[in-house]
Amino acid sequence: MVDQKFVPVILCGGAGTRLWPVSRKGYPKQFSKLIDEKSLFQSAATICLGPEFAPPMVVTGDPFRFLVVEQLAAIETQPTRILVEPESRNTAASVLAAALSLQDSDPDCLMLVMPSDHVIAEKEKFQNAVIAAAPTAMEGMLVTFGIRPSRPETGYGYLELAEGAKAEAETPQALARFVEKPSLAAAGKMLESGRFLWNAGIFLFKPDVLVEAFQAHAPKTLASVHEAVQTAASDLSFTRLGSEPWASIENTSIDYAIMEKAKNLAVMPYLASWSDLGSWESVYNEVGKDPSGNALSEHATAIDCKDTLLRSEVPGLELVGIGLEQMIAIAMPDAVLVARKSDSQRVKEVVGRLQERGAKQATMFASDHRPWGHFESIASGNRFQVKRIVVHPGAALSLQSHFHRSEHWIVVHGTARVTVDERVQLLTENQSTYIPLGSVHRLENPGKVPMVLIEVQTGSYLGEDDIIRYEDVYSRQ
């Protein structure tokens, strides 16, 4: 065992397109429970819990910062720091920002950079691989992790081992080069050669070693990210990177910016199970199946089906397949996907088509997560909308008013503290109140259980941007 502290750096962004309709831009796949009772993000944080590992640092975007806090709290994990990117700039900038932060606060650590949306089932084997890679990283090498390929996969990048390196080794090996996603024919030849590993997007290195690599290969990016870190501001428990320098950063991956150019590279073969869950077929491969090879969710039924994935994400919606083979069917409250498993990599096309049509389902859910809880639209029509609102215990919405709508609130579970102008009252189940147009109001949950209410909006405009905030405990504008 090495006498060295590892700081997991979990990258938590993403467009959320490959597992549509469960994953979308507004709620990407890492926050969903796709395999078990933990989200992928929670699993990434859990696999790095241990005496050799510090609490994780998370790099995320503004829309997800409270989801990160909420999901870490649910697994009783307190992060080292949460860096909030002003806008997405891909992994080069994200990883460098974490390295510069750690260079100041913990220069002797080893950074373990991890995606937040992969499946690594065997915690002990993964931690042992990280520990085995530590001496090489401490010597000044940039260590990447490679997965033993099991098929000619065209959706992954590859790592070519140097002459004499061994794909089955339990220590870091010399790396010849990074290879972009290949054609099927090229992937088949790579698999046959035994000299290639899948690129897992997992890295281990000292902060100053990565900074030196950027100085050599991407100095402009280094200058801008350094300024963004130096001008960062504290916001509640978050560290917001400086927005002006961040806007000038090139949108590029760490592979392209550094790893394809650096000479001090090594690869740690990882021989246990791994998946990036990059398609619904890969989800099918990871979950349990019935004797006919069907993977079914709680509210799905298969009749005379074979090797098929059926998932209903809606408790009140029963999904039934009859006579299906090698198929995928995913049901959400506002969208349904049906496809052959072999076409599951084409889901990105669906998102593009829906965006062209202006369909909100391309990026947003019927259920909208907020720092205080969530709401979902139940019904809408000309000049009205009905929502179901859930507020966490002890949480509060902002003190606000609306220009174009009035609201009627009915509590159906728990207790609500309601402020309307100068009046403050407690409402319990089956009690209601009216919020006139223009009134300054706030909704709070003073209880110890989630509070649920039905909100009926009426007015000429019902958009979420019809809001003036006067006070907000979450520092939103």
Side-chain angles (χ1 to χ4, degrees):
M1 185 171 295
V2 296
D3 183 19
Q4 185 69 42
K5 181 170 71 174
F6 303 97
V7 177
V9 175
I10 302 177
L11 306 181
C12 200
T17 58
R18 294 194 291 175
L19 293 183
W20 186 92
V22 170
S23 174
R24 307 183 198 181
K25 183 178 179 181
Y27 196 83
K29 66 176 181 177
Q30 62 262 31
F31 298 115
S32 298
K33 298 176 181 178
L34 292 167
I35 304 300
D36 52 32
E37 290 307 305
K38 290 190 181 75
S39 72
L40 299 180
F41 169 63
Q42 289 172 322
S43 294
T46 301
I47 203 169
C48 294
L49 295 178
E52 297 90 2
F53 294 82
M57 173 183 286
V58 181
V59 187
T60 191
D62 185 77
F64 311 130
R65 66 195 193 281
F66 289 107
L67 271 172
V68 165
V69 171
E70 180 181 325
Q71 292 209 348
L72 287 177
I75 58 171
E76 300 181 345
T77 298
Q78 181 69 33
T80 295
R81 186 178 303 176
I82 299 175
L83 298 181
V84 178
E85 299 175 298
E87 52 189 308
S88 176
R89 281 294 180 266
N90 213 318
T91 55
S94 301
V95 177
L96 179 56
L100 289 168
S101 298
L102 288 170
Q103 193 177 38
D104 290 337
S105 63
D106 198 355
D108 297 324
C109 75
L110 286 176
M111 296 173 57
L112 175 62
V113 177
M114 297 181 57
S116 59
D117 55 0
H118 292 187
V119 175
I120 304 173
E122 298 168 275
K123 177 178 178 178
E124 183 176 354
K125 289 184 178 179
F126 178 73
Q127 292 194 359
N128 287 341
V130 173
I131 292 169
T136 302
M138 290 166 63
E139 291 171 0
M141 301 294 283
L142 299 169
V143 181
T144 183
F145 285 67
I147 310 300
R148 178 174 52 191
S150 58
R151 60 186 183 277
E153 175 61 57
T154 61
Y156 301 152
Y158 284 71
L159 305 167
E160 182 178 4
L161 294 165
E163 195 69 34
K166 298 178 180 178
E168 304 291 328
E170 296 181 356
T171 56
Q173 301 293 294
L175 178 61
R177 64 185 178 112
F178 280 67
V179 181
E180 296 294 331
K181 296 176 181 178
S183 66
L184 183 60
K189 291 179 180 179
M190 291 180 188
L191 182 64
E192 290 176 7
S193 75
R195 296 183 55 244
F196 291 83
L197 300 171
W198 287 336
N199 180 6
I202 302 171
F203 304 96
L204 186 71
F205 37 67
K206 295 169 64 178
D208 62 334
V209 172
L210 184 72
V211 173
E212 289 169 4
F214 271 90
Q215 182 64 64
H217 304 293
K220 290 184 178 180
T221 298
L222 175 60
S224 296
V225 176
H226 183 270
E227 186 179 354
V229 172
Q230 291 299 308
T231 58
S234 295
D235 175 9
L236 300 177
S237 59
F238 310 106
T239 301
R240 288 185 175 273
L241 299 167
S243 58
E244 187 172 338
W246 196 264
S248 67
I249 298 169
E250 183 181 2
N251 189 342
T252 188
S253 69
I254 190 171
D255 286 359
Y256 182 79
I258 300 300
M259 300 301 169
E260 294 180 5
K261 302 169 184 175
K263 302 301 182 184
N264 56 328
L265 295 175
V267 57
M268 179 67 207
Y270 182 64
L271 309 179
S273 62
W274 168 90
S275 174
D276 76 337
L277 286 195
S279 68
W280 280 113
E281 184 173 20
S282 63
V283 174
Y284 169 85
N285 292 334
E286 292 295 322
V287 298
K289 303 169 185 66
D290 69 13
S292 298
N294 300 309
L296 309 174
S297 70
E298 181 181 356
H299 298 280
T301 302
I303 300 174
D304 294 332
C305 295
K306 184 179 180 182
D307 301 331
T308 288
L309 173 64
L310 300 177
R311 288 181 71 117
S312 171
E313 302 293 328
V314 189
L317 190 156
E318 292 294 324
L319 176 63
V320 180
I322 301 176
L324 303 178
E325 186 170 346
Q326 298 287 337
M327 295 293 291
I328 291 167
I330 314 295
M332 294 288 288
D334 59 343
V336 176
L337 170 69
V338 181
R340 290 186 296 267
K341 273 199 301 183
S342 59
D343 286 331
S344 62
Q345 291 281 3
R346 299 181 60 189
V347 171
K348 283 185 178 180
E349 296 178 31
V350 175
V351 177
R353 293 282 186 92
L354 292 176
Q355 287 177 322
E356 290 173 4
R357 288 172 41 202
K360 63 182 182 181
Q361 289 91 335
T363 57
M364 302 306 297
F365 282 103
S367 179
D368 196 331
H369 289 261
R370 297 299 170 93
W372 43 260
H374 69 272
F375 67 83
E376 57 185 313
S377 180
I378 298 174
S380 62
N382 184 30
R383 296 180 63 88
F384 84 91
Q385 181 172 211
V386 182
K387 292 181 177 179
R388 178 179 179 268
I389 298 176
V390 180
V391 183
H392 297 314
L397 282 67
S398 59
L399 186 67
Q400 59 186 258
S401 65
H402 308 295
F403 282 119
H404 303 288
R405 70 174 185 256
S406 59
E407 298 171 342
H408 193 94
W409 293 345
I410 307 102
V411 177
V412 296
H413 181 72
T415 300
R417 180 186 291 119
V418 177
T419 300
V420 181
D421 294 326
E422 302 301 321
R423 183 185 180 193
V424 180
Q425 59 180 324
L426 290 177
L427 300 179
T428 56
E429 294 179 14
N430 297 321
Q431 293 184 317
S432 63
T433 191
Y434 175 65
I435 316 296
L437 185 151
S439 292
V440 177
H441 59 280
R442 189 201 299 272
L443 175 63
E444 303 170 75
N445 180 0
K448 296 182 179 181
V449 298
M451 184 269 292
V452 183
L453 64 77
I454 302 300
E455 176 182 84
V456 181
Q457 302 176 352
T458 58
S460 59
Y461 178 73
L462 306 174
E464 288 301 314
D465 55 346
D466 177 23
I467 183 172
I468 299 176
R469 288 194 176 96
Y470 303 98
E471 296 175 9
D472 185 63
V473 296
Y474 307 106
S475 300
R476 295 170 297 170
Q477 301 300 315

